[in-house]
Amino acid sequence: MSSVRSGGQDPGGDGDTAATLPCARLTARQAIAAVADTYTETTAPTGRTATAETPTPTPTTASPPDGPLGWHGYDDARARARARTGEDESVVTALATIGGREAVVLSFEFRYLGGSLGERTGDRLEAAYTLARERGLPVVSLIATGGSRMQEGMRALAQLQRVARQSALNRAAGLPQIAVLRDPTTGGGWATLGAAADVILALPGAQIGFAGSRVRPADADPFAYSAEGQLATGHIDAVVPPDRLRGTLQRWLRLLCPPEGTRTRTVEPAPLPSALGTPGLPETGWEAVVRARESGRPRAEAYLRAYFDDREEISGDRCGGVDPGIRCGFGQRDGRTIAFAAQCGTATRPAGFRTAARLVRLADRLGIPVLTLVDTPGAANDAAAERAGAGAAIADAFAALATAEVPVISLLIGEGGSGGALALAAPGRLWATPDSYFSVIAPELAAAILKRDEAQIHDTADQLRIRPQDLLELGVIQGIVPPP
């Protein structure tokens, strides 16, 4: 029997020592019960016949003794796993109700050969994704896997392509996918079911990574393979304690899945927020700059708090970066879901632009209108930003807004610094608050380029015509929003 260390990878082993791990591992059914109000299995457990309540039983395919490779002892290992777990595969699928929203749930049984993926696992996953498409339901994956099942060789590894295709089909159908990463989530399960999900949540301390603990370099930093490390580098959206997981999933499903009968073909634009800052318009260009730069001016958090009744945020660009100066997510206002991407007044980094682009594309695919809040002195221009691909990230944000089919509206709530601000401004749908400005370049930098002294900065600000009323007259914005 193989042993499993804490957070270890067990790609096809017995998983006998899971109970010795410091963090408790739930069985597949316990994991479903922990988040669902009610559920009905769609895979028939061992010794049970599929019925109307189990509409998608596991497809039966002929399997030679000891699997496709004739791996000596494979049948015995599966028999021990069945006796220990009561399961005949490493995944259980179900139709579940979570907070009043129906979903297809995939839950892995780590004690069955380390939650590994084999051909029959692929059968069940394909049937579950197909059921979700037929019923127009989201997929919630409760993952705990050590990777592909080595006893089935390349036949097992090929299941990753199969799962990836099913996930892509559901994505094209506009159906949300939410992943919950349990301990461990490694190998192909992470690279398909996990990393491909629209929203990725993880349990504290869970081991997450393409490489399991037994195959990674001996000197590898363990933090990089943890839930917390993956959050810090922008690969997952949140680390959620077990006692908060059910509520978090309920909120996400409520935000991403409108109730039956409320879906419409036409997506109405999000309502404009009210201005929260100083109501009067500035007399000079430099006064507009000073007001927008005041430390006490309302920032993104104040606007989001006043605008939404409830909200959840995504995090990271999925490319190794997180920008704390941008807030992206989905919120409810008067019972309606609206996506948001909000700059927080700092120089926006490449990861911020990529996260915003990810948010806009996800909202577009799900048919959810978008609100952007523009507030930045400009794009970060240090060497680290250039190495992280500032130009490409800004281009990606421009493209996401330019091609979105759902309505996107934007509100300039502070500084509008050049292209870094324009990248989050919806073309032809930009409004401004009285305490904001938008400029092709900061007045100080314009004066420096023109070789003007400091005494001429104020005149330069006037020449640039950056006040809200100037922007309206120039046709750059659609209007100036009043206070509530």
Side-chain angles (χ1 to χ4, degrees), residues 454-475:
E454 291 187 6
Q456 295 176 291
I457 291 177
H458 292 199
D459 292 336
T460 303
D462 285 334
Q463 283 184 286
L464 288 169
R465 301 198 65 192
I466 59 179
R467 301 175 303 168
Q469 58 266 47
D470 297 326
L471 301 174
L472 182 61
E473 185 177 339
L474 291 169

Side-chain angles (χ1 to χ4, degrees), residues 262-323:
T262 64
R263 295 182 177 91
T264 59
R265 290 183 178 273
T266 303
V267 180
E268 294 295 326
L272 274 169
S274 299
L276 301 180
T278 306
L281 292 173
E283 294 185 3
T284 68
W286 187 248
E287 182 186 347
V289 172
V290 170
R291 289 170 58 175
R293 292 178 180 174
E294 285 182 356
S295 59
R297 173 182 58 79
R299 308 280 170 152
E301 173 59 27
Y303 276 90
L304 294 175
R305 190 169 54 246
Y307 188 80
F308 289 112
D309 305 317
D310 187 22
R311 68 182 190 271
E312 289 287 337
E313 298 190 14
I314 65 171
S315 176
D317 63 358
R318 299 294 187 265
C319 299
V322 175
D323 181 1

Side-chain angles (χ1 to χ4, degrees), residues 14 48 111 157 165 267 296 367 414 431 443 474 484:
D14 286 347
R48 192 179 303 171
R111 296 181 304 150
L157 191 66
R165 179 176 184 273
V267 180
W431 282 259
L474 291 169

